[in-house]
Amino acid sequence: MEALLKTINLTKNFGGLSAVSNVSFSIRKGDLQTIIGPNGAGKSTFFKLITGEIKPSSGQVLFLDQDITSLPQTKVSHLGIAVAYQITNIFPMLTVLENVRVAAQSRKTTFNLWSKALNHKALAEESLAILELIGLADFQGDTAANLSHGDRKRLEIGIALATKPKLLLLDEPTAGLSPHETRQTIELIKKIAEGLTIVLVEHKMKVVMEVSNTITVLHYGKLLAQGTPDDIRNNEEVRRVYLGGVKC
Amino acid sequence: MEEQVQKQSWWPKLVKVVSDHPLVFIILFFFIIPFIMPYKALATQIIIWGLFALGYNVCLGYTGMLSFGHAAYFGVGSYTTGIVLIRLWPNIWFGIFCGMLMGAITAFVLGYLCIKRRGIYFAMLTMAFAQLIYFLAFQWVDLTGGDNGLRNIPATPVTLFGYDLHIYEPLRFYFFVLFFVILSLLALNRILESPFGQVLQAVRENEPRAKSCGYETTNVRWLAFVISGSISGLAGGLHAIYLHFVGIDSLYWTTSGQVVMMTLLGGMGSFIGPFIGAGIFLYLEDMLSALTSNWMIFLGVIFVLCVLFFPAGVWGTIKNLSTRKKD
């Protein structure tokens, strides 16, 4: 089957530092792939290159066989790529429901000045369904800034889902979560993975090994290894640079 | 204990009712202020400046853009209305409409040049362009009267079904202005509750995220800026008719500063705030300037104290106080 997303020799240099260098990566529709690597390996930069937030120094990004390398961020979003950021990136003073609703609205209308937002019932229903999915329906009227860290991380995923992506990029969705919350988030990822293609960046090996079909290892911006969880577990080089003492 | 709770509970409830139905209470309030102000013209001045601050608040309070150049849209609106009434067609509706339109056009053009910058750069750019317009008006004596201002704006009669409304009498003029203020309030309320209004708030809260959700945030901010400019232009036009005169200082940066002060004083991000801010500012100005010619010093001190101790503005502070008990 054809790749949904493909990067060809993607490179980004910040001055003399090459944050991402020559990464060729591809993911098929319906797959869940994980990218791992030590801090500073270029994982977040790699995501930003895909979404058009920053432009690569060289290389190409193909999405649905279309070259999206030089497209602006908003266009990429409308093609169907969404991100849930590592550093929680929500609309703090809006309510939980409004956070998701405004993201869902981006698929429909921006410059509609003369109708009541609250009368768009379909949007509200859609947003409520997402809140149910991420387990925040009970908090729909709360100001987002007052949520706990774990709930905010899930709202972050909810905002990304609300834009109805074809490809979802999850940047460390379990960072800073308690074991219980991590469990919830793993379940959530498994649930949404059923109908969605997902690229996941993660540090917790337990999460990685449990959810992913394919693992890609980045090291100093370079692609180090790629394979099934078992391949990666047994790969000598990966163990040396990354897994080290981690049991998995 | 229970008694105490009951005793305290009436005013937070009142505040909640007011902030849930701001329009109803503002409009009620409008029918009272001409009778509680020392003279009617002051009330007129308050709602004109309140309208200006309301337009400014679309920028600052709802979209999060700190503009230091709103004198440009207010002043251009004033001059346009004045010049149209003097030279083109002495029809008050047409004059006011032209003022509003020119405010919007000016904001459209200057907005295009400023909107791509953020924060302090945006503030400085808006201020620089506003000063540019000020000097243009200052030099273009044939059109604007230069330093002397635009004089002798005619008091054209306003008729309704062939009946002269005699609007140039303080109380009637107040209600004439109020008509425009209420129309703008209803229109703005509609816009802010629309899907576009939601996007505005998203942009204020977190522009990068709004962008990654797929919104063209630059265009969103630009349109908000134009809406803000048109309301400012409308306020300017009404001010010209109110004074029968346009002073060059209406374009000066002090006018921009004044509207920022009023908005901050009253509280951003609400309908009520700007009017409270304009009311307090102009009332104090009126009172203090009768006592001393150095009234600016006292107003300055009050402003500094307000910003230090009530950063949410008068209305914001009242609202916070009323909800604090619950936590």
Side-chain angles (χ1 to χ4, degrees), chain A residues 23-98:
Chain A
V23 173
S24 296
F25 170 92
S26 78
I27 181 166
R28 282 169 310 164
K29 194 165 181 290
D31 215 355
L32 194 160
Q33 284 206 28
T34 309
I35 299 177
I36 60 173
N39 282 327
K43 301 175 306 255
S44 296
T45 308
F46 182 63
F47 273 7
K48 285 182 182 161
L49 291 173
I50 294 174
T51 59
E53 209 174 320
I54 53 178
K55 300 290 164 223
S57 310
S58 66
Q60 263 187 319
V61 183
L62 301 176
F63 182 65
L64 292 165
D65 296 325
Q66 185 188 346
D67 186 349
I68 61 165
T69 319
S70 55
L71 284 187
Q73 206 184 348
T74 46
K75 289 263 166 53
V76 174
S77 163
H78 279 277
L79 281 176
I81 301 182
V83 205
Y85 291 90
Q86 175 184 5
I87 296 160
T88 312
N89 204 351
I90 56 176
F91 304 109
M93 295 316 284
L94 302 188
T95 66
V96 172
L97 180 63
E98 282 170 341

Side-chain angles (χ1 to χ4, degrees), chain A residues 11-238:
Chain A
T11 301
K12 177 70 191 179
N13 302 318
F14 291 114
L17 178 83
S18 146
V20 171
S21 84
N22 263 328
V23 173
S24 296
F25 170 92
S26 78
I27 181 166
R28 282 169 310 164
K29 194 165 181 290
D31 215 355
L32 194 160
Q33 284 206 28
T34 309
I35 299 177
I36 60 173
N39 282 327
K43 301 175 306 255
S44 296
T45 308
F46 182 63
F47 273 7
K48 285 182 182 161
L49 291 173
I50 294 174
T51 59
E53 209 174 320
I54 53 178
K55 300 290 164 223
S57 310
S58 66
Q60 263 187 319
V61 183
L62 301 176
F63 182 65
L64 292 165
D65 296 325
Q66 185 188 346
D67 186 349
I68 61 165
T69 319
S70 55
L71 284 187
Q73 206 184 348
T74 46
K75 289 263 166 53
V76 174
S77 163
H78 279 277
L79 281 176
I81 301 182
V83 205
Y85 291 90
Q86 175 184 5
I87 296 160
T88 312
N89 204 351
I90 56 176
F91 304 109
M93 295 316 284
L94 302 188
T95 66
V96 172
L97 180 63
E98 282 170 341
N99 262 273
V100 174
R101 196 177 54 201
V102 84
Q105 188 195 308
S106 68
R107 300 301 107 164
K108 304 221 160 77
T109 167
T110 305
F111 295 105
N112 180 342
L113 281 76
W114 213 248
S115 68
K116 281 208 159 187
L118 294 177
N119 289 350
H120 292 244
K121 292 276 190 290
L123 270 184
E125 277 165 26
E126 208 176 283
S127 313
L128 267 177
I130 288 171
L131 289 186
E132 293 280 352
L133 182 68
I134 59 175
L136 290 179
D138 291 343
F139 302 103
Q140 54 171 295
D142 291 11
T143 306
N146 296 338
L147 291 179
S148 71
H149 175 70
D151 288 345
R152 263 184 273 169
K153 289 290 273 189
R154 269 179 299 150
L155 179 58
E156 177 72 37
I157 297 175
I159 293 174
L161 285 177
T163 63
K164 295 202 191 101
K166 296 187 179 80
L167 173 69
L168 177 63
L169 310 177
L170 293 174
D171 199 349
E172 298 198 28
T174 69
L177 296 193
S178 69
H180 173 68
E181 289 170 328
T182 305
R183 194 70 246 156
Q184 282 181 319
T185 301
I186 293 175
E187 294 309 321
L188 175 63
I189 292 172
K190 281 181 173 171
K191 223 186 287 172
I192 57 183
E194 284 165 17
L196 202 58
T197 314
I198 297 177
V199 182
L200 174 71
V201 160
E202 191 49 77
H203 269 309
K204 291 183 183 155
M205 290 317 293
K206 217 182 77 196
V207 181
V208 174
M209 294 303 172
E210 184 170 344
V211 300
S212 37
N213 318 341
T214 315
I215 298 175
T216 302
V217 186
L218 285 183
H219 185 51
Y220 286 121
K222 288 199 184 83
L223 202 135
L224 188 76
Q226 199 161 28
T228 64
D230 280 333
D231 293 343
I232 297 299
R233 227 188 298 246
N234 300 324
N235 184 309
E236 275 298 313
E237 216 173 354
V238 174

Side-chain angles (χ1 to χ4, degrees), chain B:
Chain B
M1 190 62 192
E2 214 160 78
E3 230 180 5
Q4 215 178 10
V5 171
Q6 289 228 310
K7 228 166 93 190
Q8 284 176 343
S9 66
W10 68 269
W11 72 270
K13 265 186 198 155
L14 178 69
V15 173
K16 187 169 168 8
V17 171
V18 173
S19 61
D20 284 349
H21 308 279
L23 282 187
V24 178
F25 284 89
I26 291 182
I27 292 170
L28 270 180
F29 181 62
F30 282 153
F31 282 93
I32 302 169
I33 44 171
F35 306 104
I36 55 172
M37 283 296 147
Y39 51 98
K40 309 276 185 288
L42 184 62
T44 309
Q45 219 182 333
I46 288 174
I47 56 171
I48 292 176
W49 276 91
L51 180 64
F52 182 21
L54 183 77
Y56 181 72
N57 205 17
V58 174
C59 250
L60 182 64
Y62 286 94
T63 324
M65 299 185 284
L66 178 62
S67 156
F68 265 123
H70 260 56
Y73 319 111
F74 182 79
V76 164
S78 278
Y79 274 104
T80 306
T81 300
I83 290 166
V84 164
L85 287 179
I86 293 171
R87 301 197 177 187
L88 213 58
W89 184 21
N91 177 312
I92 205 160
W93 306 103
F94 181 69
I96 290 171
F97 171 74
C98 288
M100 186 168 172
L101 188 68
M102 272 311 281
I105 292 173
T106 314
F108 183 81
V109 175
L110 297 190
Y112 177 77
L113 300 168
C114 302
I115 217 82
K116 285 172 189 152
R117 299 281 166 269
R118 305 279 188 282
I120 190 75
Y121 302 101
F122 175 77
M124 288 297 113
L125 268 179
T126 51
M127 185 167 165
F129 281 117
Q131 284 299 91
L132 191 85
I133 291 190
Y134 166 78
F135 285 111
L136 261 177
F138 193 88
Q139 295 295 330
W140 199 348
V141 179
D142 293 344
L143 188 71
T144 63
D147 200 14
N148 293 326
L150 190 69
R151 287 163 184 279
N152 301 324
I153 296 172
T156 54
V158 175
T159 56
L160 193 67
F161 307 121
Y163 174 74
D164 189 353
L165 292 178
H166 298 288
I167 61 161
Y168 300 99
E169 136 192 358
L171 192 59
R172 282 175 185 234
F173 190 72
Y174 174 82
F175 283 107
F176 175 73
V177 172
L178 187 57
F179 167 72
F180 290 97
V181 172
I182 290 178
L183 272 189
S184 318
L185 265 172
L186 293 176
L188 265 189
N189 184 52
R190 180 107 203 196
I191 290 172
L192 292 171
E193 281 186 356
S194 72
F196 178 70
Q198 299 283 307
V199 182
L200 283 188
Q201 296 191 27
V203 168
R204 178 195 65 203
E205 287 300 310
N206 191 341
E207 188 177 351
R209 187 49 152 154
K211 208 173 190 173
S212 95
C213 284
Y215 288 114
E216 297 280 0
T217 55
T218 307
N219 290 345
V220 169
R221 293 162 78 241
W222 192 12
L223 181 57
F225 198 71
V226 172
I227 292 171
S228 175
S230 68
I231 301 280
S232 306
L234 172 65
L238 292 169
H239 199 248
I241 293 168
Y242 160 72
L243 290 179
H244 302 295
F245 168 77
V246 182
I248 189 75
D249 61 329
S250 67
L251 281 167
Y252 202 48
W253 66 266
T254 49
T255 301
S256 304
Q258 205 158 315
V259 79
V260 178
M261 267 172 89
M262 286 173 179
T263 310
L264 291 179
L265 209 58
M268 321 182 270
S270 73
F271 275 129
I272 299 180
F275 287 96
I276 293 182
I280 294 176
F281 186 99
L282 293 170
Y283 183 75
L284 285 176
E285 176 186 338
D286 184 69
M287 215 177 63
L288 294 170
S289 61
L291 299 174
T292 163
S293 57
N294 298 322
W295 58 274
M296 281 283 229
I297 295 178
F298 297 98
L299 203 59
V301 170
I302 291 169
F303 181 68
V304 168
L305 290 178
C306 272
V307 170
L308 281 180
F309 297 108
F310 309 111
V314 172
W315 180 242
T317 305
I318 293 176
K319 250 172 48 177
N320 291 345
L321 280 177
S322 75
T323 52
R324 198 164 59 180
K325 289 283 181 292
K326 269 190 258 167
D327 303 333

